[in-house]
Amino acid sequence: MRRAVTLAARGLGATSPNPVVGCVVLDAHGVPVGEGWHQRAGGPHAEVHALAAAGGRARGGTALVTLEPCAHTGRTGPCARALADAGIARVVYAVADPNPVARGGAALLAEAGIDVRGGLLADEAEAVNAAWLTAVRLGRPHVRWKYAATLDGRVAAADGTSRWITSPEARADVHRLRAEADAVLVGSGTARADDPHLAVRGVPGARQPLRVVTDTEARAVPPGARVLDGAAPTLVAVADDVPSDRTDHLAAHAEVVRLPRAAHGPGLDVTALLAALHERDVRAVLLEGGPTLAGAFAAAGAVDAVTAYLAPALLGAGPTVLNGAGITTITEALRLRVTDVARVGPDLRVSAAPLAAAAPTRHEPAKEN
């Protein structure tokens, strides 16, 4: 199953709005004879790839899958039926499918006389499929907030300079995160200060994510901005009351979406923004914005994971990583659990996730996959 989880991760950034799934097939003697992963939306599922590799050796064997095999027919047939037709005797899956339209594969397999077990390495399989599971359960994209800072928590110096806080190795690692995301998001402050490009570089075969700029007043993305260069699709979100002539120059280079302003504080309504992205099949958002945008997402309870790149440097002054999160006392702190710590060049990469319990499940329709 751990091998299946590793295989599933190969699909990150390429399968939305579908999940990432990995599968390993063992023959009747327990020897691995086939493996596969869901490589793109609309293409064969992981089980189909693994069964094709195994051929006749799958009969009487075991299939280990990171997600309960689907029972519905979309652009491909139900994987549960494919497993049964291949003569698989036992199916072990990690995570039960939470989608009421697609789930039911375990029951279908059991009805076919196949031994079915669930829950093996569920936590690891949940982690690799966090974006899709968040979208199904909460009805919005999964948000990973990425930031780079000094050890004293500064994202820029007192004069506003911020290039480069972290090393080339850390910056290259960020491109890996972009490649795994469906959308990369920044705010107007970052757009004005850095003129960011936001496309993926140096990751062979990567699908370019949607570049998103929240430009409330429609003044931060001028003609010639790097995000308008056509290297990747771009969406600019502006307030719904902004005069239309401010966005005329964007029409040929980006999609413009008008959203309500935030009820409290500056910027756009975070819930409306995430809903607009969800409608566009975005399931994984990499939030690269500055302290104000990060604060708005934190205040909205819309930060699902954090990746911090910490440079061995001190500035002593300058903006800090988070601003306006609505936290006024230590008891309101957004507590995190550290999920990974690694050295990236001279820097430290810390990955964490909120300790708060997830919101109640909210289902979305199955996609034709």
Side-chain angles (χ1 to χ4, degrees), residues 71-83:
H72 77 293
T73 300
R75 282 180 282 180
T76 61
C79 291
R81 178 56 57 196
L83 290 165

Side-chain angles (χ1 to χ4, degrees), residues 105-358:
L108 191 155
L109 290 165
E111 290 172 3
I114 296 172
D115 180 20
V116 184
R117 309 290 173 88
L120 180 62
L121 297 188
D123 288 347
E124 294 181 30
E126 285 243 2
V128 78
N129 213 11
W132 182 80
L133 290 169
T134 297
V136 172
R137 292 166 176 167
L138 304 184
R140 65 160 176 82
H142 177 276
V143 178
R144 177 177 295 277
W145 171 36
K146 183 279 301 180
Y147 68 85
T150 59
L151 286 184
D152 57 344
R154 307 291 177 171
V155 295
D159 64 356
T161 55
S162 60
R163 292 187 176 182
W164 295 104
I165 285 177
T166 52
S167 64
E169 294 90 341
R171 299 197 296 275
D173 198 61
V174 170
H175 283 277
R176 176 188 60 82
L177 291 183
R178 288 181 179 178
E180 294 177 356
D182 302 319
V184 179
L185 173 63
V186 298
S188 56
T190 298
R192 282 192 297 265
D194 297 340
D195 187 21
H197 192 230
L198 302 182
V200 176
R201 298 188 302 275
V203 182
R207 182 186 69 170
Q208 290 293 346
L210 176 67
R211 300 180 291 187
V212 182
V213 180
T214 61
D215 185 6
T216 306
E217 305 300 335
R219 297 188 185 279
V221 186
R226 297 175 72 207
V227 293
L228 303 179
D229 68 355
T234 300
L235 181 147
V236 180
V238 304
D240 53 13
D241 58 357
V242 163
S244 60
D245 60 358
R246 288 193 199 166
T247 61
D248 288 346
H249 69 284
L250 298 172
H253 308 284
E255 178 185 2
V256 177
V257 60
R258 292 176 171 272
L259 300 173
R261 293 176 182 269
H264 304 286
L268 301 174
D269 182 271
V270 170
T271 300
L273 173 62
L274 289 176
L277 294 177
H278 187 273
E279 290 171 1
R280 288 159 176 77
D281 285 342
V282 170
R283 299 295 178 262
V285 171
L286 182 63
L287 176 62
E288 292 196 24
T292 300
L293 186 61
F297 271 75
V303 173
D304 302 297
V306 178
T307 299
Y309 293 89
L310 303 178
L314 302 172
L315 284 172
T320 56
V321 297
L322 193 62
N323 180 41
I327 299 170
T328 59
T329 181
I330 192 66
T331 58
E332 298 172 348
L334 177 60
R335 299 289 180 178
L336 308 172
R337 59 182 177 85
V338 174
T339 57
D340 183 66
V341 178
R343 288 283 298 271
V344 181
D347 305 317
L348 194 65
R349 184 187 67 213
V350 180
S351 301
L355 286 172

Side-chain angles (χ1 to χ4, degrees), residues 1 19-22 45 47 64-72 79-80 83 91-99 102-109 116-119 125 129 132-133:
M1 184 64 80
V20 294
V21 183
H45 290 187
E47 297 93 324
L64 297 101
V65 195
T66 57
L67 183 68
E68 178 187 359
C70 64
H72 77 293
C79 291
L83 290 165
V91 173
V92 182
Y93 65 88
V95 179
D97 193 330
N99 195 316
R103 69 188 179 198
L108 191 155
L109 290 165
V116 184
R117 309 290 173 88
N129 213 11
W132 182 80
L133 290 169

